[in-house]
Amino acid sequence: MIRSFLAKLYAGYAVLVVITALLIGVLVSGRIEQDSLEDVASELRAQAHLLAAIAEPTLDRHADRAILQDRVGQLGRELGTRFTVIGPDGLVLADSDEEPARMDDHGERPEVLGARTGGEATAVRWSSTLERRLMYVAVVVPGAGPDGAGEPRGYVRTALPLTVIDERLAFIRASVFAGAVLGVAVALVLGWFLARRFSRPLTEMTEAAVAMAAGDYDRTVTVKGHDEVARLGEAFREMATQLRDRMNTITRHRNRLLAILGSMVEGVVAIDREERVVHLNAVAAQILRAVPGESVGRRIWEVTRVREVCDVLAEALRETRDVQREARLAASPRDLVVQLRAAPLRDGRGEVVGAVVVIHDDTERHQLDAMRRDFVANVSHEIKTPLTVIRGAVETLLDDPDAPPEVTKRFLEKSVAQCERLSSLLTDLLALSRIESEEGAVERVAVDLRKPVRECVSRLSTEGEKSGITVEVDVPELPVVVSGDEEALRQLTDNLVLNAIKYTSEGGRVWVRVRTEGSEAILEVEDTGIGIEPRHQERIFERFYRVDKARSRAVGGTGLGLAIVKHIAIALDGRATVESVPGKGSTFRVSLPARSPSD
Ligand code: ADP
């Protein structure tokens, strides 16, 4: 750009210089030629007047012609000028270069004609005799009357070949030309340097502008002087500084926005009017199973197969209004329930330029809701069953006041059993809700795990003996200290040992073990009972989950025992697991972080 600008500027300047040099050359050489011819003419004129004075006395005298011829010839040789003396009738009387007799009538020569009317005349013309350009000056030799009145007595003509002048003129022209060429060359070279000097700031500014367009905002331009270009440079520098500041501000805002979007727990996807992805944060990429780096610039439906997200975005864009929708997305290991909130994006003038969707993963709340609903249904059911039995028994007794005492007793015993069931259900429910909800419900003090275990076994072994089951305890000699709540640990052990007794047939055995494994304290309850099939093993720790409902109820189970175990273990930063072979027996294991006794 700049190069062509410089070339144009320079070409214009060069044309101007050449035209000026040409004009000056032509004018100067024309002037010099004119002056030179003027000089020759006046010299010839002076010589002509001189010759006229010399020739005048001899004009009328025929006898003196030879003398005249001699004199004219001598003068011509001495002065290098051709002299011709012409009679009034045009006849040549004497000539310095030719034989007068052989010369034709000169009366009609333009200079002679001019001299006849004007006294003297000059003519320049080509002489075919001499084959060169000549200047002729003719003066009249006036009449014999006072003050030259009367017929002219003849004419004197001087002539000089213009060869010398032509040579001189050629030399002058050559000098002028050489001077012009030199001047032009100097002017061109100087002009080139000047043009370059003037265009350098422009080149620099252009390069800086190109660099800026490519994203390099740190380029500066040097400004010297106070002319227009310097002012332009100053303005350019000011503009570049402002641009850099604005770009820095934009980059800062953008990074901040990206950081906010990136750290959001919600997924965010923004698209433009053509439904091309403008932004996609990490959470959205995960939910939509898209690669963030590859998604930007591609159409949303190419990026993800989740139709619902494409639909809400398209709808927000089409109808320019907020769109809210809940969607269930197929995913592994479980489906996701997401809340989609899409809104049109507008620019500073309020024009819709795209749309954005916020994807909120609501799966957990949904699951909790479902669990809560199930729990309420389960609790209601668990309460309703014993209540129905009690009500039936009481109504029967009311209907038949005369029933035999043993029947009455049986009905009342049934009612008491159901009341006990209700009571243990409520106890378990209260325990569970306390562990789950109350902050600090489970204490964290140093407890020797052997203590609650020993107490529990000594309490429950009689229970086992009643069912024909041996309960053995195996604890190490050194304390096994955990950070926990003695009451909670007793409850945990009670539930595991009671289950082992409940689900083991007569003659079976139960082992209760405590040991330290690395940094963990382990409580293990093994039985030779009915065992649990693998498909149930995962779920028995859920509330109210039972493998065999009837059996559980028959042995007085509430379906909450293992849920309590699990939640106590979790509250103490541990975990509860099971290993079991159906028909052979089960081993329940609770691992808790061990604490050194000195802690
Ligand atoms: P329940 O009050 O019914 O015993 P739990 O939560 O204590 O409720 O146990 C849940 C289910 O796990 C029981 O119904 C039973 O089917 C199974 N279960 C628990 N402990 C054992 C065990 N030691 N052997 C076999 N099955 C067991």
Side-chain angles (χ1 to χ4, degrees):
M1 195 277 286
I2 271 302
R3 203 159 282 158
S4 78
F5 168 71
L6 180 62
K8 276 183 208 157
L9 186 77
Y10 189 65
Y13 168 77
V15 167
L16 208 67
V17 166
V18 170
I19 288 177
T20 312
L22 264 176
L23 268 177
I24 291 174
V26 168
L27 282 175
V28 166
S29 59
R31 185 76 226 168
I32 289 173
E33 183 175 354
Q34 210 177 345
D35 283 358
S36 306
L37 287 174
E38 205 67 52
D39 285 352
V40 174
S42 61
E43 200 185 316
L44 283 178
R45 208 175 294 124
Q47 287 177 359
H49 280 290
L50 189 70
L51 182 64
I54 295 168
E56 193 192 352
T58 56
L59 273 176
D60 305 326
R61 287 205 297 272
H62 228 292
D64 293 342
R65 289 281 159 79
I67 300 165
L68 181 64
Q69 174 64 25
D70 274 356
R71 206 170 266 168
V72 165
Q74 194 186 349
L75 264 177
R77 275 190 302 280
E78 278 168 11
L79 295 176
T81 308
R82 181 180 178 189
F83 293 105
T84 313
V85 182
I86 302 155
D89 48 1
L91 203 72
V92 178
L93 306 178
D95 190 273
S96 59
D97 289 16
E98 294 276 332
E99 191 64 33
R102 284 202 291 221
M103 289 170 71
D104 57 359
D105 186 349
H106 272 49
E108 295 304 313
R109 292 288 198 271
E111 62 277 9
V112 176
L113 285 173
R116 190 176 294 154
T117 48
E120 62 177 47
T122 310
V124 174
R125 58 168 197 280
W126 183 260
S127 156
S128 46
T129 334
L130 298 174
E131 290 199 325
R132 57 178 71 152
R133 212 157 66 98
L134 286 155
M135 179 183 269
Y136 299 93
V137 174
V139 296
V140 72
V141 182
D147 295 333
E151 272 297 302
R153 288 159 61 205
Y155 306 93
V156 170
R157 190 183 75 168
T158 52
L160 197 68
L162 290 180
T163 329
V164 182
I165 291 178
D166 281 345
E167 275 165 12
R168 228 164 70 198
L169 280 177
F171 176 72
I172 287 166
R173 274 201 207 103
S175 303
V176 168
F177 179 74
V181 167
L182 194 70
V184 165
V186 169
L188 289 184
V189 170
L190 261 176
W192 174 254
F193 282 112
L194 277 176
R196 271 184 53 134
R197 222 188 106 175
F198 286 138
S199 68
R200 194 170 300 139
L202 294 179
T203 316
E204 206 182 324
M205 275 186 264
T206 310
E207 280 167 4
V210 170
M212 272 185 209
D216 175 10
Y217 297 102
D218 291 329
R219 279 291 282 265
T220 47
V221 290
T222 42
V223 184
K224 280 187 214 134
H226 303 283
D227 59 4
E228 287 86 343
V229 178
R231 287 222 302 276
L232 177 67
E234 189 64 56
F236 186 87
R237 203 158 59 176
E238 182 65 24
M239 190 186 76
T241 312
Q242 284 192 13
L243 198 63
R244 188 170 54 224
D245 287 353
R246 276 187 204 158
M247 283 313 290
N248 284 345
T249 312
I250 290 170
T251 313
R252 224 176 26 248
H253 285 175
R254 187 173 174 271
N255 289 347
R256 202 178 299 159
L257 196 67
L258 284 179
I260 293 169
L261 289 172
S263 59
M264 273 174 77
V265 287
E266 279 95 1
V268 179
V269 185
I271 58 165
D272 63 12
R273 283 171 71 93
E274 276 74 48
E275 301 194 7
R276 287 182 202 284
V277 174
V278 178
H279 181 78
L280 179 107
N281 73 354
V283 178
Q286 201 187 342
I287 295 175
L288 303 181
R289 271 173 281 157
V291 186
E294 291 173 11
S295 306
V296 173
R298 288 171 63 201
R299 310 247 179 196
I300 181 71
W301 63 80
E302 295 169 354
V303 169
T304 178
R305 287 186 181 188
V306 180
R307 276 242 61 83
E308 291 84 350
V309 171
C310 303
D311 289 349
V312 287
L313 279 171
E315 199 173 321
L317 205 57
R318 194 175 57 241
E319 294 179 15
T320 61
R321 62 171 177 83
D322 293 4
V323 181
Q324 282 201 25
R325 199 162 296 160
E326 190 178 274
R328 182 172 284 275
L329 313 181
S332 73
R334 53 188 177 154
D335 286 1
L336 297 179
V337 180
V338 292
Q339 292 287 343
L340 303 174
R341 262 186 228 107
L345 279 175
R346 295 175 193 277
D347 65 6
R349 287 169 306 179
E351 292 268 325
V352 174
V353 290
V356 63
V357 66
V358 176
I359 308 166
H360 176 71
D361 185 352
D362 224 7
T363 317
E364 212 162 305
R365 192 176 65 84
H366 260 259
Q367 272 184 337
L368 280 175
D369 277 354
M371 271 167 66
R372 210 164 288 140
R373 275 197 302 275
D374 287 353
F375 184 69
V376 171
N378 278 326
V379 170
S380 313
H381 182 72
E382 291 297 328
I383 293 173
K384 212 169 167 198
T385 319
L387 274 181
T388 315
V389 177
I390 293 167
R391 189 180 172 173
V394 173
E395 276 176 358
T396 316
L397 290 178
L398 277 177
D399 289 347
D400 187 6
D402 303 326
E406 62 277 10
V407 176
T408 312
K409 192 179 172 225
R410 203 162 29 113
F411 276 114
L412 287 176
E413 275 171 0
K414 221 181 223 179
S415 301
V416 170
Q418 293 304 323
C419 281
E420 270 169 11
R421 196 176 146 193
L422 275 177
S423 164
S424 54
L425 175 70
L426 285 177
T427 309
D428 279 358
L429 275 176
L430 281 174
L432 195 59
S433 84
R434 201 172 68 97
I435 301 160
E436 263 191 72
S437 59
E438 273 180 52
E439 186 78 10
V442 178
E443 261 189 347
R444 303 301 295 268
V445 291
V447 180
D448 180 0
L449 193 55
R450 297 177 305 167
K451 192 177 168 227
V453 168
R454 275 198 194 115
E455 280 174 14
C456 161
V457 173
S458 69
R459 208 167 353 100
L460 295 179
S461 51
T462 30
E463 199 87 13
E465 274 162 26
K466 273 191 237 161
S467 319
I469 294 156
T470 336
V471 182
E472 282 175 37
V473 66
D474 177 12
V475 294
E477 284 193 1
L478 289 172
V480 178
V481 185
V482 297
S483 173
D485 179 325
E486 206 177 303
E487 177 54 37
L489 287 168
R490 207 173 287 128
Q491 201 172 7
L492 180 148
T493 321
D494 268 9
N495 281 340
L496 288 179
V497 176
L498 270 176
N499 273 356
I501 296 170
K502 278 192 293 186
Y503 300 106
T504 302
S505 328
E506 211 178 330
R509 294 171 71 129
V510 173
W511 293 273
V512 184
R513 296 187 200 100
V514 173
R515 64 170 186 278
T516 313
E517 250 178 45
S519 61
E520 287 189 323
I522 310 285
L523 163 63
E524 214 170 64
V525 180
E526 186 183 343
D527 63 48
T528 55
I530 57 169
I532 307 152
E533 279 184 51
R535 66 193 165 99
H536 297 295
Q537 286 176 13
E538 265 284 296
R539 303 199 60 192
I540 49 170
F541 292 97
E542 288 175 15
R543 296 169 184 131
F544 296 113
Y545 190 86
R546 290 137 161 156
V547 174
D548 179 348
K549 278 205 176 95
R551 177 158 190 159
S552 162
R553 283 209 189 98
V555 293
T558 58
L560 293 173
L562 286 179
I564 292 171
V565 169
K566 179 178 117 179
H567 281 100
I568 291 175
I570 290 173
L572 298 179
D573 302 326
R575 62 187 190 283
T577 52
V578 64
E579 275 171 28
S580 181
V581 180
K584 289 258 155 90
S586 318
T587 305
F588 284 86
R589 197 169 291 128
V590 174
S591 321
L592 299 171
R595 189 170 145 165
S596 73
S598 55
D599 276 353

